[in-house]
Amino acid sequence: MTSEPDMLPNVSSLPAWLVPSVYLNWSEDWLGEAVAIASRSHEHRLPGGADGPQRGDVVVTVVGSEPGIVAAVELMGTSQGEDWVSDEVFGPDKPVVWDDLFNGAAAYARSSGWLPQEHARLVLDGIAHQYKHGATGTLDAGNCETDELSPNLHVLRLLGHKQVAGTDLRREERCASCERFVDVMQLRPHDDGAHTGHTGERPLAELIEQTFLLCAPCHALLHPHAVLSQRAQMRPACPSCGQRGATKRIVWGQAIHDNMKLEPDVVYGGFDTPVPTPDWYCPECHANFSSGAVSQRALGDLPEAVPVGAGAVGTPANGEDLWVPEV
């Protein structure tokens, strides 16, 4: 094995019997750890000291409650937990359900330490299997009020943030309902699956997509409604035509990539943010306006329309739903 940490082989390429040991790091601070891993923050720290993982060991970090979510599988680059080489194959973009890795996994709930050799092999094989074939969640649709499940939903949404929104996690995110920026640590997870008609187990990717982060007041109001329904009712009426429930938020400063999964029901205005900055677009009368200003109707022939990502809004073929900037 080479002496350079960044040249260590990928965990997925290491047969379990060649790995010196697998260290299970089941974090008590499930929310803080999930935020740190999802945002690639240095706040993500592995257990250190003489009894911590050593160079060449594999560390499996689990967050959330039982059954838990495997948030990261990392290969130690130095001794005593001081540095690691993240495994890009099994990073936070591919969370797996811990309970599905092997029978008896519940015995390790909320504990940290070395896994026995036979369990270490089963865990690594289980992670590889879930990565290849996908995983299904065991959470009942819409059941986000139960304390034991709430951490799992929160963790899934945070770890899947880039996969869902196409952007890196920030310490403040918009509430999915009222769309105010709220500290991530204050947001509540909401499983919107009950409003999709799905029952039973759902693929993990689908479970992530149906989990939203909401501020506490919105979450208290939400359960009789789907997220998009409540969001539409909370958006401002167009001051130009008076239409309510149809206005769309304009998202500025975000580049659009081909493989990016776009947020629903918003308009992407482009990377350059104009001044003054309109916050809302009305697809009925094509007005754009800020939250506290009178709208301005887009008139005349404009040089160029801001492109709207496919799937972000229901854009008709004739282009009537395209937002265009003021000039």
Side-chain angles (χ1 to χ4, degrees), residues 210-235:
Q210 293 172 355
T211 300
F212 295 83
L213 296 179
L214 309 175
C215 65
C218 284
H219 192 255
L221 295 171
L222 187 62
H223 274 271
H225 318 287
V227 166
L228 294 182
S229 173
Q230 178 160 307
R231 177 193 290 174
Q233 294 304 314
M234 299 185 73
R235 286 181 170 179

Side-chain angles (χ1 to χ4, degrees), residues 13 100 234:
S13 67
D100 290 342
M234 299 185 73

Side-chain angles (χ1 to χ4, degrees), residues 93-158:
D93 293 337
K94 288 285 185 180
V96 299
V97 181
W98 170 257
D99 194 46
D100 290 342
L101 298 183
F102 69 101
N103 292 332
Y108 294 97
R110 287 173 291 281
S111 65
S112 295
W114 306 103
L115 287 174
Q117 185 176 9
E118 63 274 15
H119 286 184
R121 171 65 186 271
L122 291 171
V123 166
L124 294 181
D125 287 348
I127 290 173
H129 182 270
Q130 285 197 23
Y131 171 76
K132 182 177 180 180
H133 300 287
T136 57
T138 56
L139 309 182
D140 293 332
N143 192 7
C144 56
E145 287 289 355
T146 306
D147 291 340
E148 294 178 354
L149 300 183
S150 184
N152 276 349
L153 293 173
H154 210 150
V155 164
L156 284 172
R157 185 62 183 191
L158 292 174

Side-chain angles (χ1 to χ4, degrees), residues 130-196:
Q130 285 197 23
Y131 171 76
K132 182 177 180 180
H133 300 287
T136 57
T138 56
L139 309 182
D140 293 332
N143 192 7
C144 56
E145 287 289 355
T146 306
D147 291 340
E148 294 178 354
L149 300 183
S150 184
N152 276 349
L153 293 173
H154 210 150
V155 164
L156 284 172
R157 185 62 183 191
L158 292 174
L159 294 178
H161 187 274
K162 193 165 188 175
Q163 173 184 332
V164 174
T167 58
D168 291 324
L169 183 75
R170 300 176 292 255
R171 290 311 295 250
E172 286 192 341
E173 293 290 338
R174 289 190 189 275
C175 166
S177 176
C178 69
E179 303 178 274
R180 293 183 300 109
F181 276 104
V182 180
D183 190 290
V184 171
M185 307 295 280
Q186 304 299 320
L187 289 169
R188 298 285 304 278
H190 171 74
D191 182 4
D192 210 41
H195 302 285
T196 64

